[in-house]
Amino acid sequence: MDVPVRSSLVSLIDQFIQVDGGPQVSRDAARPTVILEGVGGSGRSRVLDDTWRRWARKTPIVKVDPLVRGDDSDSMRSVLTAVMLGLTAEAPGYQVSFPRGVLAHIAMSGPIEDADPKKSTGIMRQRINDYQDPSLVATLLRRLLSLAGGSLGLDAAGLDRTIEEMTGRLSRSGLRSRLLWREALAWFQHQDQGFRHDPEHALVRLSLQAAVRNVGVRENVDSLLMAALLADLRDSFDRAVNHPSRAVVLLDNGDVPSATQFVKTLVKVRNKLARHQVPRDPLTVITASGGYTLADSVGLYGRAAQWPESALTRLSTDDLDKTGPWLRVLLEGITTDAIEHIVEADLTWWPSSLGTGTITSAVRRLTGGHAEATDLVLARLRDDPELIDDLGRVLSEHLPDLEQTMDGYLINKITVDLSPRRRFDEHLRGALITLAGARDNDEAQCLTPLLDNTVQGEPILLVSPSLWPVSSAARVEGPWAMAPFVRFLLLRELAARPDSHQACWTRVFERLRDHTPDQDSCGRLHHELALGNRETVVAELLGLLDKVSGIEWLDCLDRIVATPDLRPPRGGPASAHGAAEPRRAAVSQLVTALHQLADPLLSDRGLRRGRYIIAAEECRRLSDVDPLSFLKRAQRYQKLADALA
């Protein structure tokens, strides 16, 4: 997608990367780690890719995806190594090198276990002297690249170039000179924290601790490696004259343990260095997360700390100061204007009989702006624009090169991105389908007994801010509802379950109905309608007509019809009511029309127009109850019908 699709987010990210910042980020402002949160397919990786394309070869930048090489360890060292290697790539005006980092890896190449402190430091001194030979350093770097290069997406030629660049930059005299480690070695004495260590003894200790599995020891090593990385970056950028931008780390799949540990260690070390008044490092970090695992592991879980994407234009310098070291951004659906921009950019694909507004509204109504679904649906419509009146077929078709339908693929992506620890877990997928019956996560709690035992204790199922997002207009304290398109996809799967399933459509909505509080009559009627009990709903709505205002009645109606009944048609046609019951007939027709319109797969424009005309007419018939409210609603439905003419 083009840059304008997420213009406010793009602008903010660019301000974090530029040294001079911009209207929202002052030059001297601290740059928090940006966490892009959202359900699978919401476009988190796309934002990282777009940032890479805008800034590659303009500033030192690296994109790391731990899952590319199957990294599910809880050690951040592979990520840090990939960052160190990736930032070495050529960028005009910058010569980034990592002598402290390389020296640390020289020390960690093997433990020095001599009990005599003098002998052990002598062995370390000899090891450092041996690594004055650039060929030995190149061998070490090749070994490191073999461990971390996959997450950088480097091919063989790219590996060779990176090794040559890194080795060359370790000596200002070029590859043929001896590599000198004096400045890097001196840093291990103070480590920017006022220590007075013997630097060689500090490296001996590092060589011993590197292989220790104890959590506390591992954190000590990780912190030292991170501090070395940041010190190398500061030195490298100090040598760059009038550099306009900062180094950038784009970290995909931030919920993977190694990635989570990387960002936790970064913030921990930055806080420690700030207490010693060390100048801020020139590094901007942007990571992508499913919205729960990373935030929870770093103690950030909570809706109040999250900024919906649509609210970013209101983010001020004062707001950034309050966010601390993290800025959590919830990616929302692509707006109607943005989708229309994408459609208009491809006018050659569309027949003249279809206006861009028609295409845009149909796609937006189905996908709710879900980024990947929008891409896939638009791509299919470009091949066959006539399918705009049959979007159900689009969702059900197999994707090219995949043995999956579009809707199945999207559900799997949502499931996988929700919890890296339970990737490709059918039990988790099944739980999401069951919970989709609930209107919000409070209501979903009564459905947990229907879940498989292996997932009943998963907190993400009820509290994940990507699965149950907060819109910019919602109450932060909850309850929270699934994004409509995500819920719709899952409801289709729920409707397809056989009646014998322990959590079939009927069992789910009966349980929801039976657990609805007495005072929530609209909620109870919502579940009754989902169960197909239309006459019960009509009768109660008819009784409410003279008891509440027209606005209240219509609001209740909207909530009742919000969930389409996606099960195959059952039974015969609905019974008609005689002329003696015109109100009942009007309410019945209105409920039926609006319930059908709630289904995004009712994409045939003629059928949708007909339903809106019916809804408008029935609202006029009921206008004797509250003329202003019902006639205003009738006018709205008529406008929607006219737009489909």
Side-chain angles (χ1 to χ4, degrees):
M1 295 175 188
D2 294 332
V3 165
V5 170
R6 298 193 184 275
S7 56
S8 59
L9 178 57
V10 167
S11 172
L12 189 64
I13 287 174
D14 287 351
Q15 290 180 62
F16 282 144
I17 295 174
Q18 295 159 355
V19 170
D20 286 334
Q24 295 175 279
V25 184
S26 66
R27 180 184 180 93
D28 298 328
R31 268 62 164 184
T33 295
V34 180
I35 306 176
L36 304 175
E37 299 181 343
V39 72
S42 59
R44 303 171 322 217
S45 297
R46 180 69 62 85
V47 173
L48 299 184
D49 290 340
D50 287 345
T51 304
W52 168 268
R53 282 191 287 270
R54 289 197 314 279
W55 287 97
R57 294 190 59 78
K58 294 180 182 177
T59 198
I61 184 170
V62 58
K63 183 172 182 290
V64 181
D65 183 354
L67 287 183
V68 168
R69 54 181 296 273
D71 183 4
D72 60 356
S73 71
D74 57 358
S75 172
M76 66 132 218
R77 294 174 203 172
S78 61
V79 174
L80 185 140
T81 302
V83 167
M84 183 177 73
L85 300 175
L87 290 178
T88 308
E90 183 178 354
Y94 298 88
Q95 292 287 316
V96 176
S97 61
F98 295 94
R100 297 168 182 81
V102 173
L103 186 56
H105 281 285
I106 289 172
M108 294 191 300
S109 61
I112 298 176
E113 298 177 332
D114 198 301
D116 186 332
K118 290 186 177 180
K119 288 183 178 179
S120 62
T121 54
I123 295 171
M124 178 59 70
R125 189 178 304 116
Q126 184 58 50
R127 180 182 294 182
I128 295 171
N129 289 337
D130 290 342
Y131 273 92
Q132 290 181 0
D133 184 346
S135 65
L136 289 180
V137 173
T139 300
L140 173 67
L141 293 177
R142 186 170 294 280
R143 180 173 61 82
L144 294 177
L145 276 168
S146 68
L147 297 175
S151 59
L152 296 170
L154 295 176
D155 56 17
L159 294 176
D160 291 339
R161 283 194 302 272
T162 300
I163 291 170
E164 184 176 351
E165 286 284 347
M166 289 195 71
T167 310
R169 292 180 192 177
L170 290 173
S171 171
R172 298 180 186 179
S173 302
L175 284 173
R176 294 183 180 179
S177 64
R178 304 286 287 173
L179 302 182
L180 303 179
W181 302 103
R182 285 193 295 269
E183 292 182 16
L185 182 62
W187 179 85
F188 284 90
Q189 178 182 31
H190 57 81
Q191 299 174 24
D192 288 324
Q193 296 173 63
F195 299 140
R196 295 184 179 181
H197 298 313
D198 178 290
E200 290 163 341
H201 180 70
L203 289 173
V204 170
R205 181 179 176 82
L206 177 61
S207 79
L208 294 169
Q209 290 189 323
V212 176
R213 299 184 63 86
N214 176 273
V215 173
V217 173
R218 187 183 65 205
E219 289 178 352
N220 290 341
V221 173
D222 290 350
S223 294
L224 177 59
L225 294 175
M226 182 65 73
L229 176 84
L230 298 180
D232 284 332
L233 275 177
R234 285 195 301 272
D235 277 3
S236 296
F237 273 70
D238 286 346
R239 292 195 298 270
V241 180
N242 296 324
H243 55 276
S245 53
R246 299 155 54 87
V248 185
V249 171
L250 307 172
L251 184 56
D252 208 351
N253 289 300
D255 296 311
V256 173
S258 58
T260 297
Q261 195 60 37
F262 176 86
V263 294
K264 286 177 63 176
T265 304
L266 172 65
V267 170
K268 176 183 176 181
V269 171
R270 278 177 165 172
N271 290 339
K272 190 181 297 184
L273 295 177
R275 292 195 293 270
H276 292 275
Q277 300 182 328
V278 177
R280 288 175 179 154
D281 58 81
L283 180 64
T284 293
V285 177
I286 305 167
T287 186
S289 166
Y292 175 77
T293 306
L294 174 59
D296 185 58
S297 67
V298 296
L300 286 175
Y301 181 70
R303 311 288 167 136
Q306 189 185 62
W307 279 78
E309 184 181 357
S310 57
L312 289 180
T313 54
R314 303 198 302 269
L315 188 68
S316 66
T317 301
D318 289 341
D319 291 323
L320 284 174
D321 289 340
K322 295 174 184 175
T323 65
W326 315 92
L327 176 65
R328 297 171 59 202
V329 177
L330 174 66
L331 297 190
E332 298 173 307
I334 299 171
T335 64
T336 299
D337 288 344
I339 294 175
E340 187 165 25
H341 174 85
I342 297 169
V343 173
E344 289 177 342
D346 288 334
L347 285 180
T348 55
W349 292 96
W350 311 112
S352 56
S353 59
L354 278 179
T356 56
T358 301
I359 302 165
T360 299
S361 61
V363 174
R364 171 71 183 180
R365 186 176 62 252
L366 175 65
T367 69
H370 183 276
E372 188 152 10
T374 299
D375 273 354
L376 292 171
V377 171
L378 281 174
R380 185 65 185 94
L381 290 178
R382 290 187 192 106
D383 292 338
D384 189 353
E386 296 301 320
L387 288 174
I388 197 166
D389 288 329
D390 192 4
L391 293 179
R393 178 179 160 192
V394 173
L395 275 184
S396 300
E397 287 183 342
H398 278 75
L399 293 173
D401 304 323
L402 287 176
E403 295 182 359
Q404 287 180 299
T405 58
M406 185 185 295
D407 52 2
Y409 164 78
L410 291 169
I411 291 174
N412 287 342
K413 189 169 186 63
I414 291 165
T415 304
V416 166
D417 284 9
L418 187 64
S419 175
R421 188 169 58 84
R422 302 187 67 114
R423 293 177 67 81
F424 308 109
D425 189 322
E426 281 298 321
H427 298 299
L428 186 64
R429 186 180 190 274
L432 295 181
I433 293 168
T434 299
L435 296 179
R439 294 171 299 163
D440 55 53
N441 67 330
D442 275 2
E443 198 171 69
Q445 294 183 52
C446 78
L447 296 176
T448 54
L450 299 180
L451 306 183
D452 187 274
N453 291 335
T454 63
V455 295
Q456 282 189 8
E458 282 285 357
I460 55 172
L461 289 172
L462 295 176
V463 298
S464 168
S466 60
L467 183 62
W468 309 94
V470 177
S471 70
S472 55
R475 294 183 302 136
V476 169
E477 64 269 20
W480 311 293
M482 285 187 185
F485 178 68
V486 173
R487 183 172 184 240
F488 167 69
L489 285 178
L490 296 169
L491 281 173
R492 274 165 56 90
E493 294 293 305
L494 180 61
R497 283 176 173 171
D499 291 341
S500 58
H501 195 287
Q502 69 169 3
C504 66
W505 181 284
T506 300
R507 286 191 176 91
V508 165
F509 281 101
E510 284 180 345
R511 188 171 183 86
L512 288 169
R513 179 196 60 194
D514 296 343
H515 283 76
T516 301
D518 292 340
Q519 64 271 25
D520 185 9
S521 59
C522 294
R524 178 175 50 79
L525 292 177
H526 167 277
H527 303 319
E528 290 282 14
L529 188 59
L531 288 165
N533 301 326
R534 191 171 63 87
E535 291 307 313
T536 300
V537 173
V538 170
E540 293 206 32
L541 280 173
L542 187 62
L544 284 173
L545 267 176
D546 295 319
K547 297 179 180 178
V548 299
S549 69
I551 291 178
E552 291 175 303
W553 192 89
L554 289 167
D555 177 67
C556 184
L557 176 64
D558 290 339
R559 285 184 279 158
I560 290 170
V561 302
T563 299
D565 189 345
L566 300 174
R567 294 173 294 176
R570 302 167 310 286
S575 59
H577 298 280
E581 299 177 289
R583 270 196 182 182
R584 176 181 289 274
V587 171
S588 179
Q589 291 274 50
L590 188 56
V591 168
T592 299
L594 294 181
H595 199 210
Q596 291 171 341
L597 285 165
D599 186 352
L601 294 187
L602 183 64
S603 54
D604 183 285
R605 286 166 290 167
L607 292 176
R608 290 188 66 81
R609 182 171 184 271
R611 301 301 186 277
Y612 278 124
I613 290 174
I614 291 172
E617 181 60 29
E618 302 310 332
C619 279
R620 293 188 191 100
R621 289 180 179 173
L622 293 169
S623 62
D624 62 309
V625 177
D626 182 343
L628 181 61
S629 298
F630 279 91
L631 289 177
K632 188 175 181 180
R633 179 64 70 94
Q635 185 180 38
R636 184 207 298 179
Y637 293 145
Q638 190 62 55
K639 285 183 178 180
L640 291 169
D642 293 343
L644 294 167

